Amino acid sequence: MAGMRLFLVLAVLGNVLLAYLLVFGQQGVFTYLDTKHRRDEMAARLERVENRSLEISREIRLLKTDQAFLERTIRQQTHFLAPREVLYLLPGASGRTAETTGDAAHEE
């Protein structure tokens, strides 16, 4: 009877130890949940990067093939004016002036 009791106590202690390791161990539930959370964040980041890459690929294709898109993009990024185009600068509208951008409104 004493041997059976000792076996039962050791089995219960072993189960308690295994339950503790299952929850708090190096490969336990909390570690699993943390890893799952990081994986979800990385998957979302990967999706954003893939979407941005697709947008850039589309823009590159348009820049290579669409002359109007190329002209519009150059004008937006460099603030160039087309011939016979007038640029109106309103005070306080964006905080930028012709002096700060290096642009000058001119007509041909």
Side-chain angles (χ1 to χ4, degrees):
M1 186 61 115
M4 184 66 137
R5 188 174 292 197
L6 179 63
F7 175 75
L8 189 58
V9 168
L10 289 177
V12 169
L13 288 176
N15 283 335
V16 168
L17 176 64
L18 289 175
Y20 174 81
L21 291 176
L22 178 66
V23 175
F24 300 107
Q26 192 173 21
Q27 296 179 353
V29 173
F30 292 122
T31 303
Y32 167 76
L33 292 174
D34 183 51
T35 303
K36 183 176 183 262
H37 177 71
R38 286 189 293 142
R39 183 193 59 86
D40 292 343
E41 287 177 347
M42 294 301 285
R45 182 174 180 225
L46 177 62
E47 185 176 348
R48 288 191 307 269
V49 168
E50 286 175 344
N51 289 339
R52 179 66 180 135
S53 176
L54 188 59
E55 290 173 10
I56 291 172
S57 295
R58 287 182 188 145
E59 187 175 342
I60 290 170
R61 184 178 45 78
L62 284 172
L63 288 171
K64 287 181 177 180
T65 60
D66 188 352
Q67 189 65 29
F69 181 78
L70 177 64
E71 181 181 329
R72 186 172 56 246
T73 302
I74 290 171
R75 290 179 64 201
Q76 285 175 349
Q77 291 183 1
T78 60
H79 306 289
F80 281 2
L81 299 176
R84 301 184 55 127
E85 186 176 46
V86 177
L87 176 65
Y88 294 98
L89 299 174
L90 303 175
S94 68
R96 294 170 46 152
T97 66
E99 294 173 359
T100 61
T101 61
D103 295 338
H106 65 280
E107 288 188 5
E108 285 187 20

